[in-house]
């Protein structure tokens, strides 16, 4: 069984999510190839070639793929599909945008957000906001799969895959790139951070979120937020953790003023260690927390920041 992994990259850099999708593809038991489509994407292709388990990297360097628009990228993937039994992509914003189109063009059912590979045609995926797991078996000859990256370790380095140049597909011309507004931060990217400090609606205001950010900066952590905090305007959309936000699995997740609605738990319950700070001792977050502190966050969090400062962090 040959598998094609769609690389997540920024042309100059290969995203950590790609290595996790490669791990899932390798579990299928066949050759693993990686598609790197972009403009000036040579560095990303070279990085993909070093991933353990990858036997070939297909580099397609052309204008239609410069900004990873879904329609031209889906057309390219379909043009390469004949040689593969499975096509996988990380379950990221790009993956969720592109892969349903690929599945529709190939007339197959997409297998979404898998958390394990149980066989060449059998997978486990979450349902009901992660409250249950279901094992699914696909009869499609060609599997189109998105991978929940929080559930797979990234493939290691040490590979030396061949890089070949692929042929661009005809651009369907259904979309055009206007602009992108990127948030810049010195903090780690949320989905790959080892430590995350998240705040909920109890923070009370955008200005109050600074107490969360101070602790995060002491720990070298990313900053997250619940949907309630984002909807209230306290935090930007790209900080949202949860079913409708980003799914994370850091080594340490600190939830501050977050009650623990199931939609939020679906995005962070796979964290290795969960610490909850909430003044409501009945808050559902304490049911999944490894350590819980029942306290006023406006007193506890500044004290935590002071202790971290004393420790030289």
């Amino acid at each position: 069984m040959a598998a094609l992994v769609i690389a997540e990259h920024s042309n100059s850099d290969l995203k950590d999510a790609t290595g996790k999708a490669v791990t899932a593809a390798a579990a299928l038991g066949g050759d693993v190839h990686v598609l790197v489509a972009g403009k000036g994407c040579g560095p990303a292709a070279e990085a993909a070639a070093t991933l353990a388990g990858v036997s070939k990297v297909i580099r397609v360097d052309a204008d239609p793929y410069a900004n990873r628009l879904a329609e031209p990228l889906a057309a390219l993937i379909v043009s390469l599909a004949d040689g593969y039994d499975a096509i996988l992509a990380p379950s990221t914003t790009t993956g969720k945008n592109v892969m349903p189109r690929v599945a529709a063009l190939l007339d197959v059912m997409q297998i979404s957000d898998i958390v394990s590979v149980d066989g060449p045609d059998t997978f486990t995926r979450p349902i009901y906001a992660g409250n249950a797991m279901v094992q699914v078996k696909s009869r499609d000859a060609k599997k189109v799969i998105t991978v929940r990256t929080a559930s797979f370790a990234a493939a290691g380095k040490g590979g030396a895959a061949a890089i070949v140049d692929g042929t661009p597909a005809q651009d369907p011309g259904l979309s055009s790139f206007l602009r992108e507004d990127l948030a810049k931060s010195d903090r780690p990217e949320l989905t790959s951070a080892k430590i995350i400090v998240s705040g909920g609606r109890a923070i009370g205001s955008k200005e109050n979120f600074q107490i969360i950010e101070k602790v995060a900066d002491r720990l070298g952590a990313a900053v997250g937020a619940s949907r309630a905090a984002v909807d209230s305007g306290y935090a930007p959309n790209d900080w949202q953790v949860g079913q409708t936000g980003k799914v994370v699995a850091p080594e340490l997740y600190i939830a501050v003023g977050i009650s623990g609605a199931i939609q939020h738990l679906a995005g962070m319950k796979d964290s290795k260690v969960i610490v909850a700070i909430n003044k409501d001792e009945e808050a559902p977050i304490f049911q999944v927390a490894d350590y819980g502190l029942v306290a006023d966050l406006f007193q506890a969090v500044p004290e935590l920041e002071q202790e971290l400062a004393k420790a030289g962090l």
Side-chain angles (χ1 to χ4, degrees), residues 202-239:
I203 299 297
S205 70
K206 183 176 181 180
E207 291 71 29
N208 288 346
F209 238 88
Q210 292 178 7
I211 67 173
I212 300 291
E213 296 179 56
K214 288 179 180 179
V215 170
D217 290 340
R218 292 284 184 189
L219 294 171
V223 178
S226 68
R227 178 172 179 170
V230 171
D231 287 349
S232 298
Y234 305 162
N237 289 335
D238 58 337
W239 286 8

Side-chain angles (χ1 to χ4, degrees), residues 169-235:
Q170 182 176 355
D171 185 351
L174 298 173
S175 60
S176 59
F177 178 77
L178 296 180
R179 73 177 192 276
E180 62 181 359
D181 299 315
L182 298 176
K184 296 183 179 180
S185 174
D186 293 331
R187 299 189 183 104
E189 205 279 324
L190 193 60
T191 55
S192 60
K194 293 184 178 181
I195 303 174
I196 297 174
V197 184
S198 281
R201 184 163 48 193
I203 299 297
S205 70
K206 183 176 181 180
E207 291 71 29
N208 288 346
F209 238 88
Q210 292 178 7
I211 67 173
I212 300 291
E213 296 179 56
K214 288 179 180 179
V215 170
D217 290 340
R218 292 284 184 189
L219 294 171
V223 178
S226 68
R227 178 172 179 170
V230 171
D231 287 349
S232 298
Y234 305 162

Side-chain angles (χ1 to χ4, degrees), residues 2 25 35 41 76 95 133-134 198 206 235 248 258:
L35 171 64
C41 59
L76 174 63
M133 294 291 173
V134 61
S198 281
K206 183 176 181 180
V248 299
I258 294 175

Side-chain angles (χ1 to χ4, degrees), residues 238-253:
D238 58 337
W239 286 8
Q240 184 177 327
V241 174
Q243 183 184 7
T244 54
K246 295 179 179 178
V247 177
V248 299
E251 294 179 7
L252 173 62
Y253 188 89

Side-chain angles (χ1 to χ4, degrees), residues 283-295:
I285 191 71
F286 289 124
Q287 296 177 14
V288 299
D290 298 285
Y291 301 93
L293 175 62
V294 178

